[in-house]
Short mmCIF file of all heavy atoms in Angstrom, two decimals:
data_model
loop_
_atom_site.label_atom_id
_atom_site.label_comp_id
_atom_site.label_asym_id
_atom_site.label_seq_id
_atom_site.Cartn_x
_atom_site.Cartn_y
_atom_site.Cartn_z
N LYS A 166 -13.22 11.57 6.02
CA LYS A 166 -14.10 12.74 6.07
C LYS A 166 -13.64 13.86 5.13
O LYS A 166 -14.46 14.67 4.69
CB LYS A 166 -14.16 13.29 7.50
CG LYS A 166 -14.84 12.34 8.48
CD LYS A 166 -14.86 12.94 9.88
CE LYS A 166 -15.53 12.01 10.87
NZ LYS A 166 -15.52 12.58 12.25
N THR A 167 -12.34 13.92 4.85
CA THR A 167 -11.82 15.05 4.09
C THR A 167 -11.37 14.74 2.67
O THR A 167 -11.43 15.60 1.79
CB THR A 167 -10.62 15.68 4.82
OG1 THR A 167 -9.58 14.70 4.96
CG2 THR A 167 -11.03 16.19 6.20
N ARG A 168 -10.93 13.50 2.41
CA ARG A 168 -10.37 13.17 1.10
C ARG A 168 -11.10 12.05 0.36
O ARG A 168 -11.14 12.05 -0.87
CB ARG A 168 -8.90 12.78 1.24
CG ARG A 168 -7.99 13.93 1.63
CD ARG A 168 -7.64 14.78 0.43
NE ARG A 168 -6.67 15.82 0.77
CZ ARG A 168 -6.11 16.61 -0.12
NH1 ARG A 168 -6.39 16.48 -1.40
NH2 ARG A 168 -5.26 17.55 0.25
N TYR A 169 -11.60 11.09 1.10
CA TYR A 169 -12.24 9.93 0.47
C TYR A 169 -13.38 10.37 -0.45
O TYR A 169 -14.11 11.29 -0.12
CB TYR A 169 -12.79 9.00 1.55
CG TYR A 169 -13.43 7.75 1.00
CD1 TYR A 169 -12.66 6.66 0.62
CD2 TYR A 169 -14.81 7.68 0.84
CE1 TYR A 169 -13.24 5.52 0.10
CE2 TYR A 169 -15.40 6.54 0.31
CZ TYR A 169 -14.61 5.47 -0.06
OH TYR A 169 -15.19 4.34 -0.58
N PRO A 170 -13.52 9.78 -1.66
CA PRO A 170 -12.84 8.59 -2.17
C PRO A 170 -11.58 8.88 -2.99
O PRO A 170 -11.11 8.01 -3.72
CB PRO A 170 -13.91 7.96 -3.06
CG PRO A 170 -14.63 9.15 -3.63
CD PRO A 170 -14.65 10.18 -2.53
N LYS A 171 -11.04 10.07 -2.90
CA LYS A 171 -9.82 10.38 -3.65
C LYS A 171 -8.71 9.43 -3.22
O LYS A 171 -8.41 9.30 -2.02
CB LYS A 171 -9.41 11.83 -3.39
CG LYS A 171 -8.32 12.34 -4.33
CD LYS A 171 -8.13 13.84 -4.16
CE LYS A 171 -7.14 14.37 -5.19
NZ LYS A 171 -6.97 15.84 -5.08
N THR A 172 -8.09 8.79 -4.21
CA THR A 172 -7.12 7.74 -3.92
C THR A 172 -5.99 7.77 -4.95
O THR A 172 -6.25 7.82 -6.15
CB THR A 172 -7.79 6.35 -3.98
OG1 THR A 172 -8.95 6.34 -3.15
CG2 THR A 172 -6.82 5.26 -3.54
N GLY A 173 -4.76 7.73 -4.48
CA GLY A 173 -3.63 7.58 -5.38
C GLY A 173 -3.40 6.09 -5.63
O GLY A 173 -3.69 5.27 -4.76
N TRP A 174 -2.86 5.72 -6.80
CA TRP A 174 -2.73 4.29 -7.09
C TRP A 174 -1.73 3.63 -6.15
O TRP A 174 -1.85 2.43 -5.83
CB TRP A 174 -2.38 4.03 -8.54
CG TRP A 174 -1.07 4.52 -9.07
CD1 TRP A 174 -0.85 5.63 -9.85
CD2 TRP A 174 0.23 3.92 -8.88
NE1 TRP A 174 0.49 5.75 -10.15
CE2 TRP A 174 1.16 4.71 -9.57
CE3 TRP A 174 0.66 2.78 -8.21
CZ2 TRP A 174 2.53 4.41 -9.59
CZ3 TRP A 174 2.03 2.47 -8.22
CH2 TRP A 174 2.94 3.29 -8.91
N GLY A 175 -0.74 4.39 -5.66
CA GLY A 175 0.21 3.82 -4.73
C GLY A 175 -0.41 3.42 -3.41
O GLY A 175 0.09 2.54 -2.70
N GLN A 176 -1.51 4.03 -3.08
CA GLN A 176 -2.22 3.77 -1.83
C GLN A 176 -2.76 2.35 -1.77
O GLN A 176 -2.92 1.78 -0.69
CB GLN A 176 -3.37 4.79 -1.72
CG GLN A 176 -4.19 4.73 -0.47
CD GLN A 176 -5.19 5.88 -0.43
OE1 GLN A 176 -4.91 6.97 -0.91
NE2 GLN A 176 -6.35 5.64 0.15
N VAL A 177 -3.04 1.78 -2.93
CA VAL A 177 -3.64 0.44 -2.97
C VAL A 177 -2.76 -0.52 -3.77
O VAL A 177 -3.24 -1.51 -4.33
CB VAL A 177 -5.06 0.51 -3.58
CG1 VAL A 177 -6.03 1.10 -2.59
CG2 VAL A 177 -5.08 1.34 -4.87
N PHE A 178 -1.47 -0.25 -3.80
CA PHE A 178 -0.54 -1.07 -4.58
C PHE A 178 -0.04 -2.30 -3.81
O PHE A 178 0.23 -3.35 -4.39
CB PHE A 178 0.64 -0.20 -5.03
CG PHE A 178 1.52 -0.82 -6.07
CD1 PHE A 178 0.98 -1.52 -7.14
CD2 PHE A 178 2.89 -0.70 -5.98
CE1 PHE A 178 1.80 -2.08 -8.11
CE2 PHE A 178 3.73 -1.27 -6.95
CZ PHE A 178 3.18 -1.96 -8.01
N GLN A 179 0.11 -2.15 -2.50
CA GLN A 179 0.68 -3.22 -1.68
C GLN A 179 0.01 -4.58 -1.88
O GLN A 179 0.71 -5.60 -2.02
CB GLN A 179 0.64 -2.83 -0.20
CG GLN A 179 1.25 -3.87 0.74
CD GLN A 179 2.77 -3.96 0.60
OE1 GLN A 179 3.48 -2.99 0.81
NE2 GLN A 179 3.27 -5.15 0.25
N PRO A 180 -1.32 -4.67 -1.91
CA PRO A 180 -1.97 -5.98 -2.04
C PRO A 180 -1.58 -6.74 -3.30
O PRO A 180 -1.71 -7.97 -3.35
CB PRO A 180 -3.47 -5.64 -2.04
CG PRO A 180 -3.55 -4.36 -1.30
CD PRO A 180 -2.32 -3.60 -1.68
N PHE A 181 -1.11 -6.04 -4.32
CA PHE A 181 -0.73 -6.71 -5.57
C PHE A 181 0.67 -7.34 -5.48
O PHE A 181 1.09 -8.03 -6.40
CB PHE A 181 -0.81 -5.74 -6.73
CG PHE A 181 -2.21 -5.32 -7.05
CD1 PHE A 181 -2.73 -4.13 -6.55
CD2 PHE A 181 -3.03 -6.12 -7.81
CE1 PHE A 181 -4.04 -3.75 -6.82
CE2 PHE A 181 -4.34 -5.75 -8.09
CZ PHE A 181 -4.85 -4.57 -7.59
N LEU A 182 1.37 -7.09 -4.38
CA LEU A 182 2.69 -7.68 -4.20
C LEU A 182 2.61 -8.87 -3.25
O LEU A 182 3.40 -9.02 -2.32
CB LEU A 182 3.66 -6.62 -3.67
CG LEU A 182 3.88 -5.45 -4.63
CD1 LEU A 182 4.69 -4.35 -3.96
CD2 LEU A 182 4.56 -5.91 -5.91
N SER A 183 1.64 -9.71 -3.49
CA SER A 183 1.46 -10.92 -2.70
C SER A 183 2.54 -11.94 -3.06
O SER A 183 3.27 -11.77 -4.05
CB SER A 183 0.08 -11.52 -2.95
OG SER A 183 -0.03 -11.91 -4.31
N SER A 184 2.64 -12.99 -2.28
CA SER A 184 3.66 -14.01 -2.54
C SER A 184 3.49 -14.63 -3.91
O SER A 184 4.48 -14.92 -4.61
CB SER A 184 3.61 -15.09 -1.46
OG SER A 184 2.31 -15.69 -1.41
N ASP A 185 2.26 -14.81 -4.36
CA ASP A 185 2.02 -15.38 -5.69
C ASP A 185 2.55 -14.47 -6.79
O ASP A 185 3.12 -14.94 -7.78
CB ASP A 185 0.52 -15.63 -5.91
CG ASP A 185 0.01 -16.79 -5.08
OD1 ASP A 185 0.84 -17.56 -4.58
OD2 ASP A 185 -1.21 -16.92 -4.92
N SER A 186 2.34 -13.17 -6.61
CA SER A 186 2.82 -12.21 -7.61
C SER A 186 4.34 -12.15 -7.62
O SER A 186 4.97 -12.06 -8.68
CB SER A 186 2.25 -10.82 -7.33
OG SER A 186 0.84 -10.81 -7.46
N LEU A 187 4.94 -12.20 -6.44
CA LEU A 187 6.40 -12.08 -6.34
C LEU A 187 7.11 -13.24 -7.02
O LEU A 187 8.25 -13.10 -7.48
CB LEU A 187 6.83 -11.98 -4.88
CG LEU A 187 6.41 -10.70 -4.14
CD1 LEU A 187 6.93 -10.73 -2.72
CD2 LEU A 187 6.90 -9.46 -4.87
N LYS A 188 6.44 -14.37 -7.12
CA LYS A 188 7.04 -15.52 -7.80
C LYS A 188 7.30 -15.21 -9.28
O LYS A 188 8.16 -15.84 -9.91
CB LYS A 188 6.13 -16.74 -7.68
CG LYS A 188 6.05 -17.31 -6.27
CD LYS A 188 5.07 -18.47 -6.22
CE LYS A 188 4.95 -19.02 -4.80
NZ LYS A 188 3.94 -20.12 -4.71
N GLN A 189 6.56 -14.26 -9.82
CA GLN A 189 6.74 -13.88 -11.22
C GLN A 189 7.81 -12.81 -11.39
O GLN A 189 8.11 -12.39 -12.50
CB GLN A 189 5.41 -13.39 -11.80
CG GLN A 189 4.29 -14.41 -11.71
CD GLN A 189 2.98 -13.86 -12.25
OE1 GLN A 189 2.91 -13.46 -13.41
NE2 GLN A 189 1.95 -13.86 -11.43
N LEU A 190 8.35 -12.34 -10.27
CA LEU A 190 9.31 -11.24 -10.30
C LEU A 190 10.66 -11.62 -9.72
O LEU A 190 11.41 -10.77 -9.26
CB LEU A 190 8.75 -10.05 -9.51
CG LEU A 190 7.36 -9.54 -9.90
CD1 LEU A 190 6.91 -8.45 -8.94
CD2 LEU A 190 7.35 -9.04 -11.33
N THR A 191 10.99 -12.89 -9.76
CA THR A 191 12.21 -13.34 -9.11
C THR A 191 13.48 -12.78 -9.74
O THR A 191 14.53 -12.76 -9.10
CB THR A 191 12.29 -14.88 -9.12
OG1 THR A 191 12.14 -15.35 -10.49
CG2 THR A 191 11.18 -15.48 -8.27
N ASN A 192 13.40 -12.34 -11.00
CA ASN A 192 14.59 -11.74 -11.61
C ASN A 192 14.75 -10.27 -11.21
O ASN A 192 15.74 -9.63 -11.55
CB ASN A 192 14.53 -11.85 -13.13
CG ASN A 192 13.32 -11.14 -13.72
OD1 ASN A 192 12.32 -10.93 -13.03
ND2 ASN A 192 13.38 -10.78 -14.98
N LEU A 193 13.78 -9.74 -10.46
CA LEU A 193 13.83 -8.35 -10.03
C LEU A 193 13.83 -8.24 -8.51
O LEU A 193 14.56 -7.44 -7.94
CB LEU A 193 12.64 -7.58 -10.60
CG LEU A 193 12.62 -6.08 -10.34
CD1 LEU A 193 13.75 -5.40 -11.11
CD2 LEU A 193 11.28 -5.48 -10.76
N ILE A 194 13.00 -9.04 -7.85
CA ILE A 194 12.89 -9.03 -6.40
C ILE A 194 13.44 -10.34 -5.85
O ILE A 194 12.91 -11.41 -6.14
CB ILE A 194 11.42 -8.82 -5.96
CG1 ILE A 194 10.93 -7.45 -6.46
CG2 ILE A 194 11.30 -8.91 -4.44
CD1 ILE A 194 9.47 -7.16 -6.14
N LYS A 195 14.51 -10.25 -5.07
CA LYS A 195 15.21 -11.43 -4.60
C LYS A 195 14.68 -11.96 -3.27
O LYS A 195 15.04 -13.06 -2.85
CB LYS A 195 16.71 -11.12 -4.45
CG LYS A 195 17.36 -10.45 -5.66
CD LYS A 195 17.29 -11.33 -6.89
CE LYS A 195 18.13 -10.76 -8.04
NZ LYS A 195 17.67 -9.44 -8.49
N THR A 196 13.88 -11.18 -2.58
CA THR A 196 13.37 -11.58 -1.27
C THR A 196 11.99 -12.21 -1.37
O THR A 196 11.35 -12.18 -2.42
CB THR A 196 13.29 -10.36 -0.34
OG1 THR A 196 12.51 -9.33 -0.99
CG2 THR A 196 14.68 -9.80 -0.07
N ASP A 197 11.54 -12.78 -0.25
CA ASP A 197 10.23 -13.45 -0.24
C ASP A 197 9.07 -12.47 -0.05
O ASP A 197 7.91 -12.86 -0.19
CB ASP A 197 10.19 -14.49 0.89
CG ASP A 197 11.12 -15.65 0.62
OD1 ASP A 197 11.39 -15.93 -0.57
OD2 ASP A 197 11.60 -16.26 1.60
N SER A 198 9.39 -11.23 0.29
CA SER A 198 8.33 -10.25 0.49
C SER A 198 8.80 -8.87 0.04
O SER A 198 10.01 -8.61 -0.06
CB SER A 198 7.88 -10.20 1.95
OG SER A 198 8.98 -9.85 2.78
N ALA A 199 7.85 -8.00 -0.23
CA ALA A 199 8.15 -6.64 -0.67
C ALA A 199 7.22 -5.67 0.04
O ALA A 199 6.02 -5.93 0.20
CB ALA A 199 8.00 -6.50 -2.18
N LEU A 200 7.78 -4.55 0.47
CA LEU A 200 7.02 -3.55 1.19
C LEU A 200 6.97 -2.25 0.40
O LEU A 200 8.02 -1.72 0.02
CB LEU A 200 7.65 -3.28 2.57
CG LEU A 200 7.02 -2.17 3.40
CD1 LEU A 200 5.61 -2.57 3.85
CD2 LEU A 200 7.89 -1.86 4.62
N VAL A 201 5.79 -1.74 0.15
CA VAL A 201 5.64 -0.46 -0.55
C VAL A 201 5.80 0.68 0.44
O VAL A 201 5.12 0.72 1.46
CB VAL A 201 4.26 -0.37 -1.24
CG1 VAL A 201 4.06 1.03 -1.84
CG2 VAL A 201 4.13 -1.43 -2.33
N ASP A 202 6.70 1.59 0.14
CA ASP A 202 6.91 2.79 0.94
C ASP A 202 6.58 3.98 0.04
O ASP A 202 7.40 4.43 -0.75
CB ASP A 202 8.35 2.86 1.43
CG ASP A 202 8.57 3.97 2.46
OD1 ASP A 202 7.78 4.94 2.47
OD2 ASP A 202 9.53 3.88 3.24
N ASP A 203 5.36 4.47 0.17
CA ASP A 203 4.85 5.50 -0.73
C ASP A 203 5.23 6.89 -0.22
O ASP A 203 4.66 7.38 0.76
CB ASP A 203 3.33 5.36 -0.84
CG ASP A 203 2.74 6.20 -1.97
OD1 ASP A 203 3.46 7.06 -2.51
OD2 ASP A 203 1.56 5.99 -2.31
N ARG A 204 6.18 7.54 -0.89
CA ARG A 204 6.63 8.88 -0.50
C ARG A 204 6.06 9.97 -1.42
O ARG A 204 6.42 11.14 -1.27
CB ARG A 204 8.15 8.94 -0.55
CG ARG A 204 8.86 7.92 0.34
CD ARG A 204 8.57 8.14 1.81
NE ARG A 204 9.33 7.20 2.63
CZ ARG A 204 10.50 7.46 3.19
NH1 ARG A 204 11.09 8.65 3.01
NH2 ARG A 204 11.12 6.55 3.94
N ALA A 205 5.22 9.60 -2.36
CA ALA A 205 4.65 10.58 -3.28
C ALA A 205 3.81 11.60 -2.52
O ALA A 205 3.23 11.30 -1.47
CB ALA A 205 3.79 9.87 -4.33
N LYS A 206 3.71 12.79 -3.09
CA LYS A 206 2.96 13.87 -2.44
C LYS A 206 2.31 14.75 -3.50
O LYS A 206 2.93 15.09 -4.51
CB LYS A 206 3.91 14.71 -1.59
CG LYS A 206 3.23 15.78 -0.75
CD LYS A 206 2.55 15.18 0.46
CE LYS A 206 2.02 16.27 1.42
NZ LYS A 206 1.31 15.69 2.57
N GLY A 207 1.06 15.10 -3.27
CA GLY A 207 0.32 15.91 -4.22
C GLY A 207 0.99 17.26 -4.49
O GLY A 207 1.58 17.87 -3.60
N GLY A 208 0.92 17.69 -5.75
CA GLY A 208 1.43 19.00 -6.11
C GLY A 208 2.93 19.07 -6.34
O GLY A 208 3.47 20.13 -6.64
N ARG A 209 3.62 17.93 -6.21
CA ARG A 209 5.07 17.96 -6.33
C ARG A 209 5.54 17.65 -7.74
O ARG A 209 5.01 16.77 -8.42
CB ARG A 209 5.72 16.98 -5.36
CG ARG A 209 6.01 17.59 -4.00
CD ARG A 209 4.77 18.16 -3.38
NE ARG A 209 5.04 18.79 -2.07
CZ ARG A 209 4.07 19.27 -1.32
NH1 ARG A 209 2.81 19.24 -1.73
NH2 ARG A 209 4.37 19.82 -0.15
N SER A 210 6.53 18.40 -8.16
CA SER A 210 7.21 18.13 -9.43
C SER A 210 8.55 17.49 -9.11
O SER A 210 8.91 17.32 -7.93
CB SER A 210 7.43 19.45 -10.18
OG SER A 210 8.25 20.33 -9.43
N THR A 211 9.30 17.12 -10.12
CA THR A 211 10.62 16.55 -9.87
C THR A 211 11.48 17.51 -9.06
O THR A 211 12.26 17.09 -8.19
CB THR A 211 11.34 16.23 -11.20
OG1 THR A 211 11.32 17.40 -12.04
CG2 THR A 211 10.70 15.06 -11.92
N ARG A 212 11.33 18.81 -9.33
CA ARG A 212 12.15 19.82 -8.64
C ARG A 212 11.74 19.99 -7.19
O ARG A 212 12.58 19.95 -6.28
CB ARG A 212 12.07 21.16 -9.37
CG ARG A 212 12.76 22.31 -8.63
CD ARG A 212 12.72 23.60 -9.42
NE ARG A 212 11.38 24.03 -9.77
CZ ARG A 212 10.55 24.67 -8.93
NH1 ARG A 212 10.92 24.94 -7.68
NH2 ARG A 212 9.35 25.06 -9.34
#
């Protein structure tokens, strides 16, 4: 009701880390699954 359809790309990133995709990332991700923990926040700078 308040934000949609405004969407950050991290919000919809998890589905791209399926088991098929992870097979292409074995030199980076050593586990069978990966969980996205999105801590980004609007209006924030590095500081």
Side-chain angles (χ1 to χ4, degrees):
K166 294 179 180 179
T167 60
R168 291 280 185 174
Y169 182 81
K171 192 171 186 178
T172 308
W174 64 257
Q176 183 174 326
V177 286
F178 192 42
Q179 182 70 60
F181 292 97
L182 297 172
S183 63
S184 57
D185 289 344
S186 296
L187 293 181
K188 290 177 182 177
Q189 302 178 58
L190 305 175
T191 54
N192 61 337
L193 185 68
I194 298 177
K195 310 298 189 298
T196 54
D197 292 333
S198 60
L200 176 68
V201 174
D202 189 337
D203 192 347
R204 302 297 183 95
K206 186 76 172 178
R209 271 56 182 185
S210 61
T211 52
R212 173 177 57 80

